Amino acid sequence: MSTLDEDLARLNFEYLMLARESARSNPAETAWRFGLDQVGIDLLASMTQEKLREHAESSRAVIQLLPVYAPSNLPTVAYVDLLQPCITGTADETHAL
């Protein structure tokens, strides 16, 4: 396996692990962050590390990046704000946000 394939497999695996943990802990956020539907979220949440590694080593990128353009009728700053995750609640001594 070439260095490029090894690097891509490592990045894919880390991405898939992150997505799986998100699918297990917060499916609604997973749908928003990773663009998955409920079937995909359920499938990802049930995958073993071995299955994730198998997908990661496919020599294809599994990461999807958002397009970097702002709609013409929306200022770039407003568009970037829309891409940020919503944080609800308030911070206190026991739960910092």
Side-chain angles (χ1 to χ4, degrees):
M1 189 183 292
S2 71
T3 302
L4 178 60
D5 287 337
E6 290 171 1
D7 289 346
L8 184 57
R10 188 181 74 250
L11 288 171
N12 281 343
F13 183 69
E14 291 177 16
Y15 178 82
L16 288 169
M17 287 289 292
L18 177 66
R20 183 185 72 170
E21 292 311 309
S22 178
R24 289 178 174 177
S25 65
N26 192 339
E29 184 177 357
T30 303
W32 181 79
R33 287 190 184 272
F34 297 95
L36 295 174
D37 60 11
Q38 189 61 49
V39 173
I41 292 168
D42 293 341
L43 180 64
L44 185 60
S46 68
M47 285 187 174
T48 63
Q49 278 192 346
E50 292 78 25
K51 193 68 172 172
L52 292 178
R53 189 164 307 279
E54 182 182 312
H55 285 288
E57 293 175 353
S58 68
S59 297
R60 296 186 53 135
V62 297
I63 298 169
Q64 295 180 354
L65 301 176
L66 293 173
V68 184
Y69 67 88
S72 60
N73 62 341
L74 189 66
T76 303
V77 172
Y79 182 67
V80 170
D81 286 341
L82 290 173
L83 295 176
Q84 300 300 317
C86 295
I87 299 175
T88 59
T90 57
D92 59 26
E93 300 100 31
T94 59
H95 297 93
L97 292 177

